[in-house]
Amino acid sequence: MDYTQQLFEQMFGSEWGMTVFILAKNLFYIFVIVVPLLLAVAYLTFAERKIIAYMQIRVGPNRVTFFGIPWLRGWGQPIADAVKAIMKEIIIPTGANKFLFLLAPILTIAPALAAWAVVPFSPELVLADINAGLLYILAMTSLGVYGVIIAGWASNSKYAFLGSMRSAAQLVSYELAMGFALVCVLMMAESLNLGDIVKGQQGDSLLNWYLIPLFPMFLVYFISGVAETNRAPFDVAEGESEIVAGFHVDYSGMAFTVFFLAEYANMILVATLTSIMFLGGWLPPLNIAPFNLIPGIVWLLMKIAFMLFFFLWFRATFPRYRYDQIMRLGWKIFIPITLIWIVLLGILLQLPESSKELFPLNLWFK
Amino acid sequence: MLETMLGNYFPILLFILVGLAVGVLSMLAGWLFAPNRPDSEKLSPYECGFEAFEDARMKFDVRYYLVAILFILFDLEIAFLFPWAVVLNEIGMFGFIAMLVFLGILVVGFAYEWMKGALEWD
């Protein structure tokens, strides 16, 4: 790294060299995160089609291949889909507000990608190690609602408008349940820094993870995450049989694909946050020889993949909720549960030391 | 400046710009490579094959408005809970009871809107 820094200082002079060096270094790191992320999004669509296909006892995409290599049958599918999407016409309806219509997809994908700036992949591998990491992520995921509302309004179509109203109401409702569940994690970890939250779960085994003391909050958080990303069984916003395709009914070509990318990037983000806050992030399940020799990032990726599998599994298993049932689940079940759990957890944390020692197997309330 | 705590936010600013760039560039790619042959039928608003009766930006159900108001209230509540949760160990029993009083008042409001039927969707 020192060598590269010197090279930059020689090229741009000692005054500008440092600034350009920091800019180039950060841009390089950002591309190291964004390019694999976009590839993961592409192959998540492939994994979804394959896994749901196997759950329905059929094979899924198995024709498109790379360079005619026979054992890569199907693996070219996401690339072929991307090329097809680029070649499709972007239709902007006459009544639509052109600027907002084209702005909405960009407003959806930008926060979905930008939230990754603070995600720690291992103790050292984090781009921006800020103390308000969790707040930043919450802010970024909240910004996604703007894309939905603007898209629905700009299309000037009744179906898009109704779809965006439903979608936005659902998103903000489940954001509350998510926020309350995160308060419980904060009470245990006592830090907003994502790296510190993982370090708070360090111990001998997976018993130390927040999954166990906060199990109901884990369920609330993950189910809210499924609802936040408009995935089945909470996908009424795009219930094709009721209101055609929701807020993006008038979108086509690349404009639609950007929405699609953002949805899948958000799925990966929710899976990652669940792994970091409840499943111990980069920590191995047992802190003994064969497990803790594997690098932390491998554990984190395995946990993300594990959580992502649930998204696909839900889609293949559950019928769609009705809209009033979705709102009831968010407001009347999740919010009361989280409020009660916050109070209970607070009482547990306030107990005197001597009574905490009486708990059998107490690893969490020290 | 870049060594300070605020300097940590510089990569975030860059990341947001890169996120915007990904969106803009992919839309540009679509605009460059895709055909563009609009006609009046193709550009008409999609309403399942019928002509549109009126402007789509119509009145909407007041319940969406209600949900938005409730969201603002509860999001504020979360904003108050975050700093409390982070320093819960230091503020001890007094801080905990103070937050219980705050939560209690909000729960009264929540119970009121529940009883009023603001959370019903039928």
Side-chain angles (χ1 to χ4, degrees):
Chain A
M1 245 342 157
D2 285 338
Y3 175 74
T4 335
Q5 191 175 342
Q6 278 166 12
L7 197 75
F8 270 98
E9 281 177 6
Q10 277 166 16
M11 273 164 65
F12 299 96
S14 56
E15 206 172 317
W16 283 98
M18 195 61 196
T19 321
V20 179
F21 169 70
I22 290 174
L23 196 73
K25 187 181 80 175
N26 280 319
L27 272 179
F28 172 72
Y29 288 152
I30 289 170
F31 280 107
V32 169
I33 297 175
V34 166
V35 172
L37 180 62
L38 289 177
L39 274 179
V41 165
Y43 277 90
L44 180 59
T45 63
F46 177 60
E48 172 170 34
R49 295 174 66 181
K50 269 297 202 195
I51 289 171
I52 291 178
Y54 282 123
M55 284 179 179
Q56 296 167 345
I57 325 186
R58 53 193 179 86
V59 282
N62 68 341
R63 293 298 163 106
V64 189
T65 173
F66 279 122
F67 313 115
I69 305 171
W71 48 269
L72 279 180
R73 288 265 170 110
W75 284 81
Q77 188 72 45
I79 311 297
D81 283 339
V83 172
K84 185 201 74 174
I86 289 177
M87 310 292 269
K88 289 281 182 188
E89 181 174 358
I90 299 176
I91 298 167
I92 303 173
T94 19
N97 181 328
K98 257 190 191 150
F99 173 69
L100 289 180
F101 189 82
L102 294 176
L103 180 72
I106 299 169
L107 273 190
T108 321
I109 187 102
L113 295 180
W116 284 84
V118 295
V119 170
F121 296 97
S122 75
E124 306 83 33
L125 284 177
V126 48
L127 180 65
D129 191 14
I130 59 172
N131 283 330
L134 200 57
L135 274 181
Y136 170 74
I137 287 203
L138 275 181
M140 279 296 139
T141 47
S142 306
L143 276 179
V145 182
Y146 281 105
V148 170
I149 291 186
I150 290 176
W153 190 82
S155 308
N156 200 7
S157 154
K158 285 192 197 72
Y159 295 98
F161 182 72
L162 288 175
S164 81
M165 295 307 290
R166 293 170 96 174
S167 217
Q170 178 185 335
L171 287 186
V172 298
S173 304
Y174 280 89
E175 224 165 78
L176 292 178
M178 255 176 151
F180 281 123
L182 292 187
V183 168
C184 290
V185 174
L186 287 182
M187 287 164 80
M188 300 286 290
E190 297 179 336
S191 171
L192 282 162
N193 185 312
L194 290 174
D196 289 348
I197 290 176
V198 176
K199 279 170 201 150
Q201 304 173 57
Q202 225 146 18
D204 295 327
S205 68
L206 56 93
L207 290 175
N208 288 73
W209 298 353
Y210 293 153
L211 178 71
I212 293 171
L214 298 178
F215 187 69
M217 293 302 101
F218 164 73
L219 291 183
V220 167
Y221 183 81
F222 189 64
I223 296 171
S224 303
V226 175
E228 276 278 297
T229 47
N230 269 327
R231 293 285 302 177
F234 305 104
D235 58 347
V236 278
E238 47 196 88
E240 57 274 6
S241 51
E242 302 150 30
I243 50 167
V244 285
F247 62 90
H248 49 51
V249 59
D250 273 326
Y251 281 87
S252 65
M254 218 43 206
F256 170 75
T257 312
V258 172
F259 274 121
F260 192 73
L261 290 181
E263 180 184 324
Y264 280 75
N266 274 326
M267 272 168 68
I268 301 181
L269 184 69
V270 167
T272 310
L273 290 180
T274 316
S275 321
I276 285 176
M277 284 181 295
F278 296 97
L279 298 181
W282 61 75
L283 302 171
L286 283 172
N287 200 4
I288 49 171
F291 295 112
N292 58 17
L293 293 180
I294 299 173
I297 186 167
V298 176
W299 284 117
L300 182 64
L301 291 179
M302 272 161 44
K303 285 167 189 172
I304 295 171
F306 179 72
M307 294 318 293
L308 279 175
F309 180 73
F310 281 97
F311 277 94
L312 313 183
W313 195 1
F314 289 166
R315 177 157 176 207
T317 309
F318 295 122
R320 184 179 293 140
Y321 265 65
R322 238 172 32 220
Y323 193 67
D324 62 317
Q325 293 169 330
I326 290 181
M327 295 307 265
R328 189 173 62 218
L329 182 70
W331 284 98
K332 296 192 173 173
I333 298 174
F334 280 176
I335 289 180
I337 286 181
T338 47
L339 282 175
I340 290 168
W341 202 261
I342 287 173
V343 174
L344 281 181
L345 190 65
I347 293 171
L348 270 177
L349 290 170
Q350 291 299 322
L351 286 178
E353 295 286 326
S354 51
S355 50
K356 280 185 205 167
E357 281 163 12
L358 296 177
F359 288 174
L361 210 107
N362 181 19
L363 294 164
W364 313 288
F365 308 108
K366 284 162 200 147
Chain B
M1 197 278 281
L2 291 166
E3 305 301 317
T4 60
M5 203 175 95
L6 210 59
N8 278 334
Y9 286 85
F10 178 64
I12 291 181
L13 179 69
L14 266 185
F15 214 126
I16 293 174
L17 292 178
V18 169
L20 288 171
V22 168
V24 171
L25 287 180
S26 39
M27 304 272 277
L28 266 183
W31 183 69
L32 278 177
F33 295 112
N36 189 17
R37 284 185 290 275
D39 60 57
S40 65
E41 284 304 309
K42 198 191 267 179
L43 295 186
S44 62
Y46 172 73
E47 293 203 358
C48 296
F50 296 103
E51 293 286 323
F53 296 119
E54 59 200 336
D55 195 64
R57 288 155 193 164
M58 50 187 183
K59 291 178 209 158
F60 58 91
D61 199 328
V62 72
R63 277 176 298 196
Y64 292 114
Y65 186 70
L66 218 56
V67 166
I69 296 264
L70 294 180
F71 167 72
I72 293 173
L73 287 180
F74 277 86
D75 220 31
L76 262 182
E77 185 178 348
I78 293 175
F80 283 121
L81 276 171
F82 265 35
W84 168 80
V86 173
V87 294
L88 186 58
N89 232 354
E90 290 157 43
I91 54 181
M93 204 48 155
F94 181 74
F96 177 62
I97 289 173
M99 186 47 85
L100 275 193
V101 173
F102 176 72
L103 278 183
I105 294 171
L106 267 155
V107 164
V108 171
F110 187 59
Y112 176 75
E113 77 208 21
W114 191 322
M115 293 306 150
K116 272 279 179 186
L119 307 176
E120 304 291 337
W121 292 74
D122 40 27

